[in-house]
Amino acid sequence: FEYDGDKRSTVVNGLKIVRSRDGGASWTLPVEVRTDALAATSAPVIEVPSGDLLLAYYGSVKGDSHPSAWAIRSVDGGNTWDDEVVIGNGPAHGKPYQEPNLVLLDNDDILSTIRSDGQAKIIHTSVSRDSGATWSSPSPGFIGSGTPSVLQLGSGDLVVLYRSKLARHFGWPAL
């Protein structure tokens, strides 16, 4: 994402996608992911069973009291992005939703983990059962902080990794 250091803020339409087809030896020019938000992402793009691509991002539109989390879809392999869907509406829920991440589960549901650094440091979860068209209301999952990423093991168990802001205060591990 694009960041304006002078304003200490992301920029509108600052999300960009680049891709490599040769293991990272070369990269395409950036493709803009158009949003109306001051947006950022730390999430990888996922591919759903239909072949569509989904990208989770977060940000605020002018006047918002809290950032929200969204998913945006590409139906053409990442050349264009549209069809934004709210995963967590920060202003409506009265809490910040940041750094959403997506994982396609074995049953084809999509799980989103979302950082929310309000009064308590909580990782929220939301599920889509229709390839990202709709999402359950985010619910508190567990105590944790930044950039929650999920891996589903062969056993079906889920492992969540996150950047811990709590460890320095309480000595808790980040895993």
Side-chain angles (χ1 to χ4, degrees), residues 102-107 109-113 125-127 142 149-161 175:
L102 306 177
V103 63
L104 180 65
L105 302 176
D106 289 344
N107 65 359
D109 287 354
I110 302 169
L111 173 67
S112 178
T113 50
T125 60
S126 177
V127 175
F142 51 90
S149 300
V150 179
L151 172 66
Q152 185 169 30
L153 304 176
S155 65
D157 291 346
L158 300 176
V159 176
V160 179
L161 303 166
L175 174 61

Side-chain angles (χ1 to χ4, degrees), residues 47-109:
E47 184 175 3
V48 297
S50 67
D52 291 357
L53 303 178
L54 290 180
L55 173 65
Y57 70 95
Y58 66 102
S60 300
V61 295
K62 191 172 186 172
D64 279 356
S65 59
H66 298 289
S68 294
W70 290 274
I72 193 165
R73 179 180 305 273
S74 175
V75 297
D76 61 7
N79 294 313
T80 60
W81 295 83
D82 52 26
D83 193 21
E84 293 173 296
V85 177
V86 174
I87 300 173
N89 186 323
H93 297 158
K95 61 182 71 174
Y97 290 125
Q98 299 166 308
E99 298 178 338
N101 210 304
L102 306 177
V103 63
L104 180 65
L105 302 176
D106 289 344
N107 65 359
D108 290 339
D109 287 354

Side-chain angles (χ1 to χ4, degrees), residues 1-11 14:
F1 61 91
E2 192 173 341
Y3 184 80
D4 183 334
D6 293 334
K7 294 181 180 177
R8 297 181 46 89
S9 176
T10 58
V11 299

